[in-house]
Amino acid sequence: MATKPKIEEIIVVEGKDDTRRLQEVFDVDTIETIGSAIDQGILDQIELAQETRGVIVFTDPDFSGEKIRKIIMEAVPDAKHAFLPRSQAAPKGKGSLGVEHASHQALKEALQKVVTPINDQDAAENQPIDRQLLLAFGLIAGPGAKEKRERLGDILRIGYTNGKQLDKRLAMFRITEAEFAAAMKIVEDEQ
């Protein structure tokens, strides 16, 4: 039997099913937030994990997962992040989106493309992508804006954002105007 790849960092997931799924593919330790009701005890564990081994936040690509991600980003701003496209987190039958539904290949790809946000001060020093450009590409308002943002988030590996959060997320993950333009070309070509 082949040995599983070892992941040094501790991965923060939402629940036991996510842990079980990741451990099918990797030799990995996890911290489970037990849903979006993340408490101070769990945040303390995540902070300690970041200090000792590093942390990768890998939550479901849904509202609850984004809420957990934001709480962790405030407490542990230098944690790394892995994102799973919504299409790769869909259950085969009924149920909600989740890391536990992803294929082994999708999990490997998401964890190979881990990103680290930058703090607000560093983000301010980077050239932000102009909000007018986001409007011009139809990402903030208009027909299909939500779908375009969702696809852009998948391509850039920054997750889904609403129109208000998009420019902040682009800056936080150091997305350059060239990277943005290349990703938007893909989005437009697919339409």
Side-chain angles (χ1 to χ4, degrees):
M1 183 171 138
T3 58
K4 298 175 191 174
K6 171 118 179 94
I7 295 180
E8 173 62 25
E9 295 92 346
I10 296 172
I11 300 183
V12 178
V13 295
E14 292 182 46
K16 290 181 176 84
D17 292 336
D18 299 331
T19 294
R20 190 172 23 254
R21 187 68 169 159
L22 285 170
Q23 289 177 343
E24 289 175 7
V25 185
F26 305 102
D27 178 1
V28 63
D29 296 314
T30 63
I31 294 173
E32 296 165 1
T33 66
I34 312 159
S36 59
I38 187 169
D39 65 22
Q40 190 58 49
I42 291 172
L43 286 174
D44 290 345
Q45 283 182 5
I46 295 169
E47 288 173 2
L48 179 61
Q50 177 65 14
E51 290 170 20
T52 57
R53 290 178 48 193
V55 166
I56 300 171
V57 180
F58 196 16
T59 56
D60 298 343
D62 58 11
F63 177 80
S64 177
E66 279 299 311
K67 181 178 174 188
I68 294 166
R69 193 179 292 278
K70 284 179 194 167
I71 292 167
I72 295 170
M73 285 173 80
E74 285 183 23
V76 188
D78 53 344
K80 296 176 183 174
H81 294 262
F83 293 92
L84 193 61
R86 294 168 71 92
S87 61
Q88 294 178 348
K92 295 215 185 328
K94 290 190 177 198
S96 59
L97 295 173
V99 169
E100 73 269 19
H101 302 301
S103 70
H104 290 185
Q105 186 59 35
L107 294 173
K108 287 177 184 175
E109 287 173 12
L111 288 168
Q112 286 171 345
K113 298 174 181 174
V114 168
V115 290
T116 306
I118 58 174
N119 64 37
D120 289 340
Q121 184 178 349
D122 290 341
E125 293 171 10
N126 278 1
Q127 283 292 11
I129 294 172
D130 191 284
R131 194 155 180 84
Q132 292 301 319
L133 190 59
L134 302 179
L135 279 165
F137 275 109
L139 292 165
I140 296 177
K146 178 181 178 185
E147 292 77 14
K148 288 178 187 176
R149 286 192 310 272
E150 185 174 320
R151 185 64 185 121
L152 179 70
D154 290 348
I155 293 166
L156 294 174
R157 302 180 321 269
I158 62 170
Y160 172 76
T161 61
N162 65 30
K164 285 177 144 178
Q165 299 169 325
L166 180 58
D167 49 354
K168 184 174 181 179
R169 184 78 57 98
L170 290 167
M172 184 184 303
F173 288 103
R174 300 181 185 110
I175 304 301
T176 65
E177 203 165 308
E179 291 169 322
F180 171 77
M184 281 310 300
K185 179 165 179 15
I186 295 168
V187 170
E188 290 177 339
D189 288 349
E190 290 175 351
Q191 291 185 331

